[in-house]
Amino acid sequence: LSWISKIQVNHPAVLRRAEQIQACRPLKKEWQAAWLLKAVTFIDLTTLSGDDTSSNIQRLCYKAKYPIRGDLLKALNMHDKGITTAAVCVYPARVCDAIKALKAAGCNIPVASVATGFPAGQTHLKTRLEEIRLAVEDGATEIDVVINRSLVLTGQWEGSDFIKTSTGKETVNATFPVAIVMLRAIRDFFWKTGNKIGFKPAGGIRSAKDSLAWLSLVKEELGDEWLTPELFRIGASTLLSDIERQIYHHVTGSYAAYHDLPMS
């Protein structure tokens, strides 16, 4: 991997490309609705709050199984397509609650968990590994690992199945310029090794319009092969609400009040 140390980034070109993506004409009508439903299937529906309880985890899991109101899906003739979010993402201590809630709902959506000293990652290696072990033991099948950034900054790279823009807890999180660099690194790595690495933007993605821009970026930079939950996820907690609101508008012609589309 010595080629990694020789990589250079053309910053002005990256910024121009980011502006290009954000300036794309938005999709309309049934095309927009179709892509928004596709975006739902890439969401890691997330709650990472200090006051998470078994009750709000249960509500989150129910919403993950039924992300769009049934009557809206029926109006689109999509009620029998099994549309769910890609996963539920919680703290390690809440994995058991998520597994229990999904099992009660008769759902096999994966449970992802942040681990390894999230969000700073500044804990001892032994502690980090134990946190992963406990999360997996409780039923998590995906782990969002906070990398040891000091190793990265000194050129000691770590491998992964996915790379994620951010923890979502930073001042600046998922941005298009950073994503472009990451996506092209994924592409270069695939060309050199044949290994496909997944991509997950997280943090600050709140609007349906934003989700469409992210799908467009991945499609244009990596192709349709990456537009699958196995290789692309969107880490978000409030995005789903806006997508459902846009679907509601498409079906009814009016915008929903907040009580029309509850979290569960």
Side-chain angles (χ1 to χ4, degrees):
L1 297 179
S2 59
W3 58 276
I4 290 178
S5 61
K6 299 173 184 175
I7 290 174
Q8 293 184 331
V9 175
N10 185 334
H11 192 229
V14 168
L15 294 179
R16 283 196 301 272
R17 176 69 176 125
E19 289 172 3
Q20 212 176 38
I21 286 290
Q22 294 172 86
C24 285
R25 292 176 61 187
L27 294 165
K28 300 290 185 181
K29 299 182 179 179
E30 65 268 23
W31 300 106
Q32 183 188 69
W35 278 96
L36 287 177
L37 289 178
K38 192 171 183 67
V40 168
T41 67
F42 297 132
I43 293 176
D44 280 359
L45 194 58
T46 303
T47 180
L48 297 171
S49 299
D51 58 356
D52 281 338
T53 64
S54 59
S55 295
N56 78 292
I57 298 298
Q58 185 177 18
R59 292 195 298 272
L60 187 83
C61 291
Y62 187 86
K63 190 63 177 176
K65 183 180 180 182
Y66 303 107
I68 305 295
R69 228 171 63 178
D71 59 318
L72 301 178
L73 289 176
K74 195 164 187 178
L76 296 170
N77 198 29
M78 295 294 289
H79 56 288
D80 58 350
K81 303 301 181 184
I83 293 175
T84 69
T85 65
V88 167
C89 185
V90 296
Y91 276 116
R94 302 263 71 98
V95 169
C96 279
D97 293 331
I99 293 291
K100 182 179 178 182
L102 290 169
K103 187 175 181 180
C107 185
N108 60 356
I109 297 172
V111 173
S113 183
V114 296
T116 62
F118 179 90
Q122 295 291 346
T123 53
H124 291 293
L125 178 60
K126 185 177 179 180
T127 305
R128 290 153 62 84
L129 294 173
E130 181 67 5
E131 194 171 29
I132 292 172
R133 188 187 67 78
L134 290 171
V136 171
E137 193 175 86
D138 285 343
T141 54
E142 302 174 4
I143 301 294
D144 281 20
V145 173
V146 182
I147 62 173
N148 186 328
R149 279 165 277 190
S150 65
L151 293 179
V152 173
L153 293 172
T154 55
Q156 301 176 66
W157 296 95
E158 301 174 325
S160 65
D161 301 304
F162 258 76
I163 55 175
K164 186 175 175 179
T165 57
S166 44
T167 62
K169 298 289 187 180
E170 307 293 337
T171 306
V172 177
N173 292 288
T175 66
F176 288 105
V178 168
I180 289 166
V181 174
M182 294 173 72
L183 290 170
R184 292 186 179 181
I186 288 173
R187 187 173 64 193
D188 286 351
F189 189 75
F190 173 64
W191 285 347
K192 289 178 181 294
T193 69
N195 294 324
K196 293 179 179 177
I197 302 300
F199 174 68
K200 179 177 176 179
I205 305 174
R206 298 185 178 90
S207 73
K209 182 181 177 182
D210 284 346
S211 71
L212 294 179
W214 282 102
L215 265 67
S216 176
L217 179 62
V218 171
K219 179 180 172 67
E220 291 190 18
E221 292 292 335
L222 295 176
D224 290 338
E225 288 179 82
W226 260 263
L227 284 180
T228 167
E230 286 70 41
L231 290 170
F232 176 54
R233 300 286 181 85
I234 301 173
S237 53
T238 59
L239 170 62
L240 181 56
S241 296
D242 193 55
I243 289 178
E244 190 174 22
R245 194 166 292 114
Q246 296 303 321
I247 295 292
Y248 183 99
H249 180 264
H250 173 72
V251 170
T252 68
S254 60
Y255 282 105
Y258 281 97
H259 61 265
D260 288 324
L261 302 171
M263 185 61 188
S264 63

